Amino acid sequence: MLQINNLIAQIEDQTIINGLSLTINPGEVHAIMGPNGSGKSTLSKVLTGHPHYTVNGGSIQYDGQDLLEMDPEERAIAGIFLAFQYPVEIPGVNNESFIRMAYNAKRKARGESEVDAFDFAQLISEKLKLVEMDEEFLSRSVNQGFSGGEKKRNEILQMAVLEPKLAILDEIDSGLDIDALRIVAEAVNKLRTPDRSFAVITHYQRLLTYIVPDVVHIMVEGRIVRSGGRELALEVEERGYDWLTVAASAE
Amino acid sequence: MSQKLIEDITGREYQYGFTSDIESEAFPRGLSEDIVRMISAKKNEPEFMLEFRLKAYRHWLTLTQPVWPNVTYPDINFQNIQYYSAPKQVKKLNSLDEVDPELLRTFEKLGIPLSEQKKLANVAVDAIFDSVSVATTFKKKLFAAGVIFCPISEAVHEFPELVKKYLGSVVPHTDNYYAALNAAVFSDGSFVFVPKDTICPMELSTYFRINTEGSGQFERTLIVCEDNAHVSYLEGCTAPQFDTNQLHAAVVELVAHENAVIKYSTVQNWYAGDPKTGKGGIYNFVTKRGKCVGRKAKISWTQIETGSAITWKYPSCILIGDDSVGEFYSVALTNHRQQADTGTKMVHIGKGTRSTIISKGISAGKSNNTYRGLVQMNKSAHGAHNFTQCDSMLIGDRCSATTLPYIDVRNGTASVGHEASTLKVTEEQLFFFQQRGIRTEDAMATIINGFCQDVFKELPTEFAVEATQLLGLKLENSVG
Ligand SMILES: Nc1ncnc2c1ncn2[C@@H]1O[C@H](COP(=O)(O)OP(=O)(O)OP(=O)(O)O)[C@@H](O)[C@H]1O
Ligand SMILES: [Mg+2]
């Protein structure tokens, strides 16, 4: 599904991703943890083709294609979805129409006919139940005035509609209350299929008790410094990252 | 923020920049009393029109070119402009199908089919090429309904009393420099008269096209609605690409009697000049004004301003009749080097008069977009009310937007409300769309559509879609 090999990427003369390698197979859930500023969100932006980041080395293969050759929208249409750490507000653009546009962009690329507003309303009302969101959020502008937690749920709603092959969830748990965390995690679990993969970026192992990962990676200074099973998450929660940082720089 | 994405989407070029190979008849460049007489003679005008022109010309001579505060451009040499240019047509035409096919093709390219077989359903079109009206569709059908819709040059001959009564009654030649110039040299434009108790059965529309290099375009439009009459009118404008700036100085006058409704919409897409230097674009100095003479009369201006190197334009309403209503809905888009200084004046004279101003300014590139509006409540305007909303949208961070509302209230019972907002379209927003599989062009169109909704919904439905597309095109990247 995804093979990142020795990736080096920078923003404004500053190298943030520094020799990162990572392989995610179909159907796997990978958790990525690491201290603030270690480059987790940067990785998600590089994977989705954000124009501010420059890749200076390494390669990314996605579904047998050279991901770095693809435009951001091509990557999205090829099935890469990012639930943003900080979803932006888009005033004046209706949330439901926005999600429908995204849905139809995908259908169009596959040569399928577009879905009209009426049929889409039915489709999305099913998905709303999954994230236990109120219909009211559909008629508002995209994320405008949404609380932090509501924005996160709106991201998962989009994911549920767009049915990606690889979903990158950047701190989907931050800012969520206990109930919302459970709802979002359950929604993600329901969307797990044998060939859909997830990269779950988080600071808290609690999320991983709901969404049980196959692999946990620890990222420090733009590199994966350790990978392991679920227990690695518990270990960093107890011990912090220092011991890993020391281990990494001792290499 | 990195400029690349923004540059890509704002870099699109003008698509109507072609010239048509049509033989034209033109006067020598320059302006003098002789030229004014020649124009009048050329059109075989009655004596009163020649006097109208000469009076304006003599007044113009006493004026100096105004210096507008928020736009800059080199001095205009008025002796280097051609004041009359018309497509050469040998004989009088009996039907539209006799119009020079090259002309018809030109308008078709612009999306305005004129020929009998192809004309737009339910929209009557008057096509103005350089300074002259070349075709008017649905004339007979309108006439049967009692509506007069014809070139003003024709109205001067066929309805001299109406022209004499109303021409210059809203915008006198003494109004301003360009209004005086226009009164002296205008060659054509549209005339609309809707008699008492008549609802005009279709949209009326005029398309203006400048084709000859170095020719100024000075149209004159006059629309009169008698008591209880209704009309909706739309003007569209395009021009080819030239290296020298073209002057466009039109005058539009609207007169609404008791309970009459005039809705005037503009989709302006004159050539904006070279994207990098601004060279060659149209200078658009236009005077548009409506007078609500009767009780409960209503005048509504809707404008989508996307072209021109410089736009200087304030469609205004003089609300004389008690309970009369003035509205102004505007989207002004500037990109590259364009400058726009536009807005409105609402002058409240009658009791209980109401006005609404919704202005949406969109700036991109290195452009400058100014809203300038005056709301004046005269002493007599008891209980009058105005509501103004000015929203600016900035795309990228090298453009600017200025809002200059002037409020002058001389009656304690009158009220004025004002709201303003600024919206920045960020790269993060555009990236969000892209990450969801939506191309930037579509994203831009969607954002703009949302921003302009309040204005677009005022456009006649036939043109709302066109306006949305036009704005999208203006900001799109040519490599899709
Ligand atoms: N525009 C920018 N210019 C310079 N440095 C930047 C820019 N954007 C991000 N960075 C830096 O890149 C580094 C990595 O940021 P990133 O957002 O990827 O961290 P993160 O691992 O997601 O952190 P967190 O856990 O806090 O979300 C940080 O040091 C940040 O300051
Ligand atoms: Mg982050």
Side-chain angles (χ1 to χ4, degrees):
Chain A
M1 162 98 359
L2 182 76
Q3 281 119 13
I4 307 174
N5 209 334
N6 208 12
L7 184 70
I8 298 171
Q10 69 173 49
I11 184 164
E12 287 174 15
D13 307 334
Q14 212 182 322
T15 299
I16 308 292
I17 303 292
N18 203 354
L20 182 140
S21 298
L22 175 67
T23 298
I24 300 179
N25 296 310
E28 286 179 355
V29 175
H30 288 233
I32 301 173
M33 302 179 82
N36 294 130
S38 56
K40 303 181 297 298
S41 295
T42 302
L43 176 63
S44 74
K45 298 287 175 64
V46 171
L47 285 173
T48 48
H50 193 292
H52 288 187
Y53 300 85
T54 324
V55 173
N56 293 322
S59 65
I60 308 178
Q61 289 285 313
Y62 170 76
D63 241 3
Q65 301 175 72
D66 181 355
L67 191 71
L68 296 173
E69 287 297 309
M70 295 161 77
D71 288 338
E73 55 267 41
E74 285 173 353
R75 299 182 196 197
I77 283 168
I80 295 184
F81 178 91
L82 170 61
F84 287 82
Q85 183 175 2
Y86 305 108
V88 288
E89 303 194 357
I90 309 174
V93 176
N94 173 271
N95 198 28
E96 182 168 347
S97 323
F98 172 78
I99 303 175
R100 184 159 64 93
M101 256 181 108
Y103 185 71
N104 278 331
K106 256 189 145 164
R107 287 184 64 94
K108 229 162 72 187
R110 285 197 300 248
E112 295 165 4
S113 66
E114 295 190 22
V115 169
D116 64 26
F118 186 81
D119 290 339
F120 189 74
Q122 284 180 315
L123 187 149
I124 200 165
S125 77
E126 284 305 307
K127 308 289 182 182
L128 271 176
K129 286 182 204 144
L130 194 69
V131 283
E132 298 186 27
M133 260 170 90
D134 201 286
E135 297 261 351
E136 179 243 349
F137 288 100
L138 294 180
S139 55
R140 285 164 63 174
S141 291
V142 179
N143 292 326
Q144 199 177 21
F146 286 25
S147 75
E150 288 161 356
K151 284 180 184 164
K152 297 290 172 136
R153 278 202 221 191
N154 201 36
E155 294 290 281
I156 298 301
L157 173 66
Q158 291 164 58
M159 177 173 85
V161 171
L162 297 176
E163 302 184 325
K165 283 189 189 152
L166 170 66
I168 305 160
L169 312 181
D170 193 353
E171 296 197 26
I172 197 69
D173 52 339
S174 73
L176 291 185
D177 64 38
I178 301 290
D179 289 336
L181 179 66
R182 186 183 42 76
I183 291 162
V184 162
E186 272 171 18
V188 171
N189 283 334
K190 282 194 191 126
L191 293 167
R192 283 182 75 161
T193 68
D195 42 32
R196 180 172 296 147
S197 312
F198 291 84
V200 181
I201 298 170
T202 184
H203 285 293
Y204 306 105
Q205 74 84 28
R206 192 182 55 204
L207 177 71
L208 305 180
T209 62
Y210 292 107
I211 306 172
V212 181
D214 298 301
V215 192
V216 175
H217 304 279
I218 308 299
M219 186 166 171
V220 176
E221 288 172 10
R223 255 184 296 179
I224 306 286
V225 295
R226 185 160 304 206
S227 303
R230 268 221 57 212
E231 64 292 342
L232 186 56
L234 282 167
E235 200 171 354
V236 290
E237 183 141 290
E238 252 167 51
R239 296 176 64 186
Y241 294 109
D242 277 358
W243 60 288
L244 286 166
T245 320
V246 174
S249 51
E251 265 175 34
Chain B
M1 141 165 127
S2 110
Q3 287 293 333
K4 193 184 167 306
L5 192 57
I6 299 280
E7 255 159 32
D8 278 355
I9 54 168
T10 55
R12 188 159 191 131
E13 281 175 18
Y14 192 64
Q15 60 165 353
Y16 300 116
F18 58 88
T19 51
S20 303
D21 194 10
I22 288 165
E23 225 190 318
S24 69
E25 181 186 4
F27 285 7
R29 286 165 193 257
L31 186 55
S32 64
E33 197 160 312
D34 282 345
I35 291 282
V36 175
R37 285 179 190 279
M38 271 166 79
I39 292 171
S40 190
K42 182 86 214 160
K43 307 178 92 51
N44 235 333
E45 286 179 347
E47 189 59 25
F48 83 91
M49 279 306 301
L50 178 62
E51 273 163 32
F52 180 92
R53 290 177 184 281
L54 287 175
K55 211 157 59 180
Y57 174 69
R58 288 174 193 138
H59 180 72
W60 180 75
L61 287 176
T62 69
L63 304 173
T64 47
Q65 212 181 127
V67 190
W68 312 110
N70 235 353
V71 294
T72 48
Y73 55 92
D75 257 1
I76 298 168
N77 180 356
F78 289 92
Q79 295 308 335
N80 198 27
I81 292 171
Q82 211 170 292
Y83 290 88
Y84 185 84
S85 165
K88 218 176 210 168
Q89 279 177 347
V90 204
K91 60 175 178 42
K92 182 111 178 97
L93 304 175
N94 298 314
S95 99
L96 281 171
D97 291 339
E98 292 176 24
V99 176
D100 182 350
E102 186 63 31
L103 257 176
L104 293 181
R105 267 196 294 279
T106 300
F107 279 93
E108 223 158 277
K109 260 200 230 175
L110 301 171
I112 313 140
L114 296 172
S115 63
E116 290 293 344
Q117 301 81 12
K118 293 182 190 161
K119 63 191 176 186
L120 299 168
N122 213 38
V123 181
V125 177
D126 187 20
I128 310 242
F129 198 79
D130 282 342
S131 313
V132 164
S133 169
V134 291
T136 310
T137 63
F138 289 111
K139 231 164 142 176
K140 287 194 190 101
K141 187 172 170 193
L142 287 167
F143 201 77
V147 175
I148 302 171
F149 178 41
C150 68
I152 202 155
S153 58
E154 208 173 296
V156 163
H157 293 284
E158 291 177 28
F159 313 99
E161 290 314 310
L162 287 175
V163 173
K164 215 189 267 182
K165 181 171 174 192
Y166 289 109
L167 192 71
S169 72
V170 185
V171 181
H173 67 265
T174 49
D175 191 81
N176 68 66
Y177 189 82
Y178 291 104
L181 181 63
N182 176 288
V185 303
F186 80 87
S187 35
D188 220 337
S190 296
F191 175 70
V192 177
F193 181 82
V194 189
K196 200 164 177 236
D197 301 327
T198 305
I199 312 282
C200 182
M202 61 179 78
E203 293 285 339
L204 303 184
S205 160
T206 299
Y207 271 85
F208 296 106
R209 167 90 180 159
I210 296 180
N211 198 59
T212 307
E213 181 161 16
S215 67
Q217 182 140 327
F218 308 92
E219 326 82 21
R220 185 106 196 172
T221 299
L222 175 59
I223 300 178
V224 178
C225 268
E226 290 195 323
D227 295 355
N228 308 314
H230 288 207
V231 73
S232 170
Y233 178 93
L234 181 124
E235 70 169 38
C237 339
T238 58
Q241 262 163 259
F242 290 128
D243 288 341
T244 50
N245 298 77
Q246 315 283 304
L247 176 64
H248 177 252
V251 169
V252 175
E253 299 179 281
L254 313 181
V255 181
H257 290 281
E258 190 167 321
N259 233 355
V261 178
I262 301 178
K263 197 171 164 47
Y264 192 105
S265 314
T266 304
V267 177
Q268 187 265 106
N269 186 22
W270 294 121
Y271 177 52
D274 182 273
K276 293 201 176 67
T277 60
K279 232 175 105 177
I282 305 285
Y283 291 167
N284 194 27
F285 300 124
V286 174
T287 308
K288 290 185 165 172
R289 192 172 307 150
K291 215 162 154 179
C292 285
V293 193
R295 245 174 47 83
K296 291 198 167 166
K298 177 174 166 182
I299 288 179
S300 181
W301 297 102
T302 303
Q303 59 172 28
I304 311 295
E305 299 286 322
T306 70
S308 297
I310 296 175
T311 302
W312 174 88
K313 179 180 168 194
Y314 314 92
S316 307
C317 297
I318 315 290
L319 305 172
I320 300 167
D322 289 348
D323 299 314
S324 60
V325 175
E327 294 174 338
F328 175 75
Y329 301 100
S330 169
V331 170
L333 178 147
T334 53
N335 193 357
H336 305 302
R337 297 259 167 192
Q338 282 176 279
Q339 309 172 55
D341 192 317
T342 179
T344 184
K345 288 181 210 164
M346 293 290 174
V347 179
H348 293 251
I349 297 169
K351 292 191 200 68
T353 47
R354 281 172 294 134
S355 64
T356 304
I357 299 172
I358 310 257
S359 159
K360 309 272 179 181
I362 303 169
S363 333
K366 294 182 182 168
S367 67
N368 173 20
N369 202 323
T370 299
Y371 167 82
R372 186 187 304 274
L374 168 72
V375 176
Q376 182 180 320
M377 301 290 186
N378 282 11
K379 258 202 177 112
S380 50
H382 297 289
H385 180 70
N386 162 266
F387 173 73
T388 300
Q389 185 178 328
C390 295
D391 299 322
S392 309
M393 176 162 133
L394 303 175
I395 302 172
D397 39 25
R398 289 177 302 173
C399 54
S400 61
T402 314
T403 300
L404 301 170
Y406 302 97
I407 296 168
D408 177 3
V409 180
R410 304 173 201 169
N411 183 309
T413 64
S415 58
V416 174
H418 185 94
E419 282 175 18
S421 74
T422 302
L423 179 75
K424 260 192 116 136
V425 177
T426 63
E427 253 185 322
E428 292 310 317
Q429 287 172 332
L430 296 175
F431 181 67
F432 192 72
F433 275 90
Q434 284 182 296
Q435 209 306 298
R436 297 300 184 248
I438 301 163
R439 296 181 320 153
T440 303
E441 292 90 304
D442 297 333
M444 225 36 239
T446 306
I447 292 175
I448 286 180
N449 213 2
F451 181 70
C452 301
Q453 241 164 33
D454 296 346
V455 175
F456 284 170
K457 72 177 175 18
E458 298 298 327
L459 280 177
T461 33
E462 286 89 342
F463 300 104
V465 178
E466 190 186 346
T468 314
Q469 283 171 351
L470 178 61
L471 291 182
L473 284 177
K474 283 271 158 180
L475 292 170
E476 259 179 33
N477 156 4
S478 41
V479 260

